[in-house]
Amino acid sequence: MNRKTKQSEPAPSPELATQLENLGGLFFSPLECARIVGRSDLERYASELATGTSPAGQAFQRGRLQAEVAVRTTLLALAKEGSMPHCKAAIGLMQKCQAETEESR
């Protein structure tokens, strides 16, 4: 049986990986990132970025998650200082995390 094997996507250039990390960190959507970096295969590339199934997607996801870490750090610092809106947001974040943790068991 002759099956075609799916070739993995090559790693993006260091410049493109940095650009994708930065765009992910600015919370651009995968489709917007595909447009910004000039891809012609917008839907496929956006899907790849969204799922993190390729080196480019991993770079995009890494940037998004690093920015989320910074936002959560600030949110929790403000909550600890007693800001009621930030306390409410932190409680919501904790409940979401707990639900996702229980769901993955």
Side-chain angles (χ1 to χ4, degrees):
M1 186 187 264
N2 187 9
R3 282 199 236 178
K4 291 183 180 179
T5 57
K6 184 179 178 182
Q7 294 181 357
S8 61
E9 289 285 322
S13 69
E15 296 81 15
L16 179 58
T18 298
Q19 184 179 19
L20 290 169
E21 278 189 39
N22 289 337
L23 293 170
L26 293 170
F27 302 112
F28 280 100
S29 73
L31 187 59
E32 290 169 327
C33 288
R35 282 193 178 109
I36 290 168
V37 300
R39 293 296 296 239
S40 60
D41 53 346
L42 292 176
E43 267 81 38
R44 187 196 64 77
Y45 198 66
S47 174
E48 188 179 305
L49 295 178
T51 60
T53 57
S54 70
Q58 291 171 7
F60 173 78
Q61 292 295 328
R62 184 172 41 254
R64 188 189 63 74
L65 290 169
Q66 288 171 343
E68 189 172 338
V69 166
V71 168
R72 287 183 182 203
T73 299
T74 301
L75 169 74
L76 293 174
L78 292 169
K80 288 176 186 176
E81 290 177 8
S83 167
M84 192 51 66
H86 293 95
C87 285
K88 289 178 182 179
I91 290 169
L93 184 60
M94 288 186 294
Q95 290 171 338
K96 177 183 174 226
C97 181
Q98 183 177 5
E100 289 174 356
T101 301
E102 291 174 2
E103 186 178 291
S104 66
R105 288 183 188 168

